[in-house]
Amino acid sequence: MKHSKILVIGACGQVGTELVDNLADRFGPERVIASDIRDQADFSVDYIKLDVLDRAAVKQVVIDNNISEVYHLAALLSATAEKNPEFGWKLNMDGLFSILDLAKEGLLKKIFWPSSIAVFGPTTPRFDTPQYTIIEPTTVYGISKFAGERWCQYYHDRYGVDVRSIRYPGLIGWKSLPGGGTTDYAVEIFHEALKNNSYNCFLSADTALPMMYMSDAIKATIDIMQAPSDTIKIRSSYNISAMSFNPAEIAHEIKKHISDFEIQYEPDFRQAIANNWPASINDQEARDHWNWKHEFDLRRMVVDMIENLKG
Ligand code: AKB
């Protein structure tokens, strides 16, 4: 019998590039297909150009390739969506419906779709933010993620769709650059520190945000998809957490390795976005339900980032 395949949509992004390699290592490259809006991309697995808003094309790819699982990562992140709210809403919502509806039709067995800490807003408790709390997002990205969470829960409850989701914090990795997020400074800072010994940060020194090293985020993503269905008790999206730090704290940690590193602060429009997000997250439900556990804290993450970026 031919094995069904896994499709990653939005594979060229920060999470996708690492997720594809991990899925290929775990399940075999012949079982993974990467897709994105670009004409071409360099993956160790088959690549298909695909616009998630083209429903007919997505359906054809799913049928032609015997796809049973989709990781749907294509989205405009917080900073980019603020610059183009209409398209941010369209891509983030219509893209999700395109995949949820294929599962509703019975063409997909399982879906992963990421939500974000951006669902939280100024009325949410800022520290140790619980799974269940006040949720009043203020960005287009946050509103789309919160609406998406409710639709995931609805499609699960009403149509039995096996959709699984986590609220990503800021993600830090060395294999690819992020694009369009408010937490991107925590990746840029390493590149600039190694190239110029200096970084001009677009958030203020004391802006603490929840963060996670990419290897932990990939582990959480694959773990939640591999967990037995009855352990996934939340079908909107799970809080997950690893560390929390502000720009001054990460700069201090980097200085231990690059002693002449200097940081300056020049907050821009992204400061207002970060001000409304939690500083730290409580993820007890994810830990209890499907055994989520992080490995990297700030110190270990900085060592690993610098080692790998130095090459
Ligand atoms: C962003 O900054 O927009 C993202 C996120 C927290 O979802 N990294």
Side-chain angles (χ1 to χ4, degrees):
M1 198 186 86
K2 252 178 83 190
H3 278 303
S4 60
K5 293 190 182 175
I6 302 166
L7 176 67
V8 180
I9 299 176
C12 294
Q14 191 198 11
V15 176
T17 39
E18 298 211 20
L19 182 64
V20 166
D21 286 344
N22 274 269
L23 290 170
D25 285 349
R26 194 136 159 182
F27 303 108
E30 68 291 344
R31 285 204 54 209
V32 181
I33 296 180
S35 73
D36 208 301
I37 191 90
R38 289 187 201 167
D39 287 335
Q40 280 170 348
D42 198 15
F43 282 103
S44 59
V45 303
D46 285 345
Y47 175 79
I48 297 176
K49 179 186 175 174
L50 187 60
D51 177 357
V52 73
L53 296 179
D54 184 344
R55 280 179 171 242
V58 178
K59 185 169 182 176
Q60 208 54 53
V61 166
V62 165
I63 293 169
D64 290 350
N65 295 281
N66 191 24
I67 303 288
S68 64
E69 282 180 32
V70 167
Y71 290 75
H72 168 39
L73 308 174
L76 282 200
L77 298 188
S78 57
T80 318
E82 285 311 290
K83 290 184 182 155
N84 194 349
E86 218 170 299
F87 183 64
W89 177 254
K90 186 174 172 55
L91 175 63
N92 295 2
M93 294 313 302
D94 292 356
L96 174 60
F97 280 123
S98 148
I99 306 306
L100 284 174
D101 283 334
L102 288 178
K104 180 183 159 194
E105 276 184 56
L107 288 172
L108 296 173
K109 285 209 174 76
K110 236 191 278 186
I111 300 170
F112 175 82
W113 171 81
S115 183
S116 160
I117 55 154
V119 296
F120 300 117
T123 49
T124 304
R126 214 169 111 64
F127 295 94
D128 204 30
T129 303
Q131 175 74 40
Y132 300 106
T133 185
I134 302 168
I135 299 191
E136 294 185 321
T138 53
T139 59
V140 176
Y141 176 62
I143 297 168
S144 71
K145 287 295 179 187
F146 186 42
E149 287 188 4
R150 300 323 310 158
W151 279 112
C152 288
Q153 182 80 55
Y154 184 88
Y155 269 64
H156 173 264
D157 295 349
R158 179 99 201 258
Y159 309 120
V161 168
D162 188 353
V163 56
R164 301 163 185 221
S165 176
I166 52 191
R167 291 172 176 154
Y168 284 142
L171 300 180
I172 300 152
W174 53 271
K175 288 191 184 158
S176 63
L177 286 170
T182 302
T183 58
D184 294 7
Y185 89 85
V187 180
E188 289 172 11
I189 194 171
F190 287 99
H191 291 269
E192 292 301 310
L194 286 165
K195 208 162 63 183
N196 303 318
N197 294 334
S198 168
Y199 179 59
N200 203 11
C201 186
F202 58 76
L203 297 182
S204 66
D206 59 352
T207 309
L209 289 168
M211 298 280 185
M212 183 174 287
Y213 199 36
M214 188 58 85
S215 62
D216 276 335
I218 298 295
K219 185 166 98 61
T221 304
I222 297 180
D223 280 0
I224 194 173
M225 283 293 270
Q226 290 305 109
S229 182
D230 61 348
T231 63
I232 310 301
K233 300 185 196 310
I234 296 172
R235 295 298 182 148
S236 50
S237 193
Y238 276 93
N239 278 7
I240 55 164
S241 155
M243 60 184 110
S244 164
F245 57 78
N246 64 34
E249 286 163 340
I250 190 174
H252 177 75
E253 208 53 48
I254 290 173
K255 244 173 143 33
K256 290 182 187 167
H257 305 268
I258 306 168
S259 56
D260 51 354
F261 172 60
E262 300 285 350
I263 184 164
Q264 303 83 39
Y265 300 97
E266 217 176 299
D268 66 13
F269 73 101
R270 289 168 279 194
Q271 184 67 50
I273 299 176
N275 286 346
N276 287 330
W277 285 356
S280 59
I281 296 286
N282 183 306
D283 60 358
Q284 201 54 52
E285 282 79 358
R287 289 175 195 264
D288 290 347
H289 296 179
W290 45 277
N291 294 324
W292 154 245
K293 215 166 50 212
H294 71 279
E295 279 174 21
F296 283 83
D297 59 11
L298 175 60
R299 194 194 57 78
R300 266 191 75 189
M301 186 259 299
V302 169
V303 170
D304 208 66
M305 279 294 282
I306 291 178
E307 241 173 54
N308 280 295
L309 286 174
K310 269 187 176 162

